[in-house]
Amino acid sequence: MRNKRCKTEKLDDLEGLQGSTSQGLIEEKLEVSLNKDTCSHPGSFGQMCILCGQRVDDESSVTFGYIHKGLRLGNDEIVRLRSTDMKNLLRHKKLYLVLDLDHTLLNSTQLNHLTAEEEYLKGQSDSLQDVSKGSLFMLEFMQMMTKLRPFVRTFLKEASEMFEMYIYTMGDRPYALEMAKLLDPKKEYFNGRVISRDDGTQKHQKGLDVVLGQDSAVVILDDTENAWTKHKDNLILMERYHFFASSCRQFGFDCKSLSQLKSDESEPDGALASILKILRQIHHIFFDELDSDLASRDVRQVLKTVRKEVLKNCKIVFSRVFPTKFQPENHLLWKMAEQLGATCSTETDSSVTHIVSMDAGTEKSRWAVKENKFLVHPRWIEAANFFWQKQPEENFPVSQTKNQ
């Protein structure tokens, strides 16, 4: 009897680990097999089965330390939990959203990296007593300053109605938890679903193996494509938020940062507001427009469909954008344009809508002007890629190079 009570207590402990409405660990207890001989060892703490207490070999299991320190779950149990969680989430008309921190939702800098032009920020930082009203915070105990991206609070509030959200950062765990406090002071959105580099299974890589959601229902927002080599089809690539000068320097930009310009992204027209519209569209298509059975739908296909609408009906010819003798169809910009729904060609004809060039003096550029076609800088494609929306061509003019 004592043995049975002990196992029940262990299950109760696990139930309290995470307060999510849909997390499989809470909604449905781990499969209980109270007979030691038939226990499936679904998970372990410190190499002891969480059900029967037997010592287990957990080499084939995955660590879920962000849920509870030392917790490991076996592959069968992960599959079962994901399936249970998925059914529950779909019932609530929700998907999963995995959010990067740095350059996506916020920008941080060490205090000793502030330039002389940024010293004014120290006098403008907001109170840590009620972080929900602020956006610029001086965390002296970490020797750090953090600026939340404009629109982030509205973004999180509205996204939480459509998605169960995770934070996933390459920062360490103490940093991740401090950032979560700034973004979610009332613990309404993430509820312990905060994953740091300490929780990943691969160095310098992020993976969905530590997310208790099925890949077919996960959308990822991140500014670094290379972090998600196995999950690029789930990814919405974010335009980087460079508020501090140190952030510009880190990525090799020789320009003034937003803080040095005493400026910031627009709330209504910035990156997060634009992406929120895309997330609404993805959510709507997934739940309201697809004919297939709900459980068999795949958000990755929805992402591809939405992307292909961005430059639909555009026929693009590139002019001196690629190195000589380079196969144009292998170039990143060519592939990007095709993923956005454009048709790419190497030859001009009457069906061409856009010439993409960095020099207005090339033969094809002059042809575009003469034939009244759009002549745009390559950044026009990159901007469409970031905002998932065709951008005004006049905002991406092409100038003539000096040696013409």
Side-chain angles (χ1 to χ4, degrees):
M1 188 64 196
R2 159 128 179 71
N3 196 21
K4 190 168 182 176
R5 187 167 68 249
C6 181
K7 288 159 200 160
T8 309
E9 282 167 5
K10 281 176 184 160
L11 282 171
D12 289 342
D13 285 348
L14 253 180
E15 270 200 37
L17 297 182
Q18 199 114 329
S20 159
T21 53
S22 69
Q23 198 86 9
L25 283 168
I26 286 87
E27 283 293 312
E28 186 179 317
K29 290 182 180 179
L30 292 162
E31 284 180 348
V32 182
S33 173
L34 291 174
N35 185 328
K36 275 191 180 185
D37 298 331
T38 58
C39 181
S40 60
H41 307 316
S44 64
F45 279 120
Q47 295 189 311
M48 284 178 64
C49 175
I50 53 181
L51 292 187
C52 71
Q54 270 189 316
R55 190 173 175 81
V56 292
D57 170 22
D58 53 14
E59 278 184 19
S60 63
S61 59
V62 178
T63 304
F64 284 83
Y66 68 94
I67 294 175
H68 196 286
K69 193 173 181 180
L71 174 66
R72 295 182 72 96
L73 295 175
N75 291 331
D76 290 348
E77 190 58 23
I78 292 168
V79 169
R80 193 191 68 78
L81 287 172
R82 281 185 177 149
S83 174
T84 305
D85 204 29
M86 179 86 165
K87 285 172 191 163
N88 186 56
L89 215 59
L90 293 177
R91 259 201 315 274
H92 289 91
K93 279 192 84 168
K94 282 191 172 187
L95 297 166
Y96 301 94
L97 182 62
V98 175
L99 296 164
D100 173 51
L101 285 178
D102 294 285
H103 305 108
T104 297
L105 299 182
L106 50 82
N107 191 200
S108 294
T109 189
Q110 296 292 327
L111 290 178
N112 61 3
H113 290 168
L114 289 172
T115 64
E117 291 170 283
E118 295 175 300
E119 282 294 314
Y120 76 94
L121 294 170
K122 291 180 179 177
Q124 292 189 1
S125 61
D126 295 306
S127 168
L128 289 169
Q129 301 307 308
D130 182 9
V131 298
S132 63
K133 291 184 170 64
S135 68
L136 180 68
F137 302 101
M138 189 144 69
L139 306 165
E140 293 195 60
F141 60 98
M142 296 175 81
Q143 284 298 295
M144 183 175 283
M145 185 173 273
T146 294
K147 172 68 174 62
L148 304 187
R149 197 168 201 164
F151 197 72
V152 71
R153 298 209 185 275
T154 306
F155 174 87
L156 292 175
K157 183 173 185 295
E158 298 196 15
S160 70
E161 292 164 13
M162 302 179 283
F163 297 89
E164 177 158 285
M165 301 191 296
Y166 283 76
I167 283 172
Y168 198 148
T169 177
M170 282 297 199
D172 62 20
R173 184 142 194 81
Y175 173 74
L177 293 174
E178 285 304 323
M179 296 303 104
K181 283 182 199 171
L182 298 180
L183 291 165
D184 185 17
K186 295 178 184 171
K187 298 191 174 179
E188 300 169 276
Y189 307 133
F190 302 111
N191 216 349
R193 293 183 298 276
V194 179
I195 304 172
S196 68
R197 68 174 178 226
D198 308 327
D199 304 305
T201 56
Q202 275 185 291
K203 232 179 181 179
H204 310 305
Q205 278 291 305
K206 294 179 178 180
L208 294 180
D209 50 351
V210 291
V211 173
L212 281 176
Q214 288 187 2
D215 292 11
S216 59
V218 178
V219 178
I220 301 163
L221 283 194
D222 203 315
D223 67 284
T224 308
E225 187 176 18
N226 291 341
W228 294 98
T229 50
K230 292 181 182 173
H231 305 287
K232 287 186 179 178
D233 290 344
N234 299 78
L235 177 67
I236 294 178
L237 192 63
M238 289 293 293
E239 183 180 27
R240 287 195 173 109
Y241 181 50
H242 296 295
F243 184 75
F244 296 108
S246 63
S247 181
C248 290
R249 288 197 302 273
Q250 179 190 344
F251 288 91
F253 294 126
D254 185 21
C255 60
K256 297 271 188 185
S257 68
L258 291 166
S259 59
Q260 290 170 306
L261 296 168
K262 298 192 175 178
S263 178
D264 209 345
E265 276 187 2
S266 156
E267 282 259 350
D269 302 315
L272 288 175
S274 300
I275 292 302
L276 182 62
K277 290 176 193 165
I278 301 303
L279 291 177
R280 282 202 198 101
Q281 192 181 351
I282 289 163
H283 183 273
H284 171 73
I285 291 172
F286 187 94
F287 285 103
D288 302 325
E289 288 190 9
L290 299 180
D291 297 328
S292 56
D293 172 57
L294 198 58
S296 66
R297 295 176 193 178
D298 193 327
V299 76
R300 291 168 293 196
Q301 291 306 314
V302 177
L303 281 167
K304 281 182 183 168
T305 302
V306 173
R307 274 174 72 79
K308 277 203 169 286
E309 290 294 310
V310 176
L311 294 182
K312 189 179 174 184
N313 300 325
C314 294
K315 185 170 180 183
I316 295 171
V317 171
F318 295 89
S319 178
R320 286 202 209 154
V321 173
F322 314 135
T324 317
K325 294 184 181 174
F326 192 92
Q327 287 293 103
E329 57 272 18
N330 293 333
H331 196 276
L332 183 65
L333 276 173
W334 182 293
K335 289 179 178 176
M336 193 182 284
E338 287 188 332
Q339 285 166 357
L340 293 168
T343 304
C344 296
S345 174
T346 53
E347 299 301 324
T348 56
D349 62 39
S350 60
S351 66
V352 171
T353 58
H354 294 75
I355 297 291
V356 175
S357 180
M358 290 186 280
D359 179 5
T362 70
E363 187 182 338
K364 285 172 182 170
S365 296
R366 291 199 299 270
W367 175 87
V369 174
K370 178 171 169 276
E371 297 295 326
N372 209 17
K373 307 290 186 180
F374 288 113
L375 175 61
V376 290
H377 194 277
R379 280 195 295 268
W380 177 73
I381 296 174
E382 291 168 357
N385 187 53
F386 276 128
F387 290 100
W388 289 56
Q389 194 174 359
K390 188 164 166 273
Q391 300 298 298
E393 284 86 354
E394 60 270 21
N395 293 354
F396 298 88
V398 181
S399 54
Q400 194 155 327
T401 59
K402 289 174 184 172
N403 59 359
Q404 285 290 320

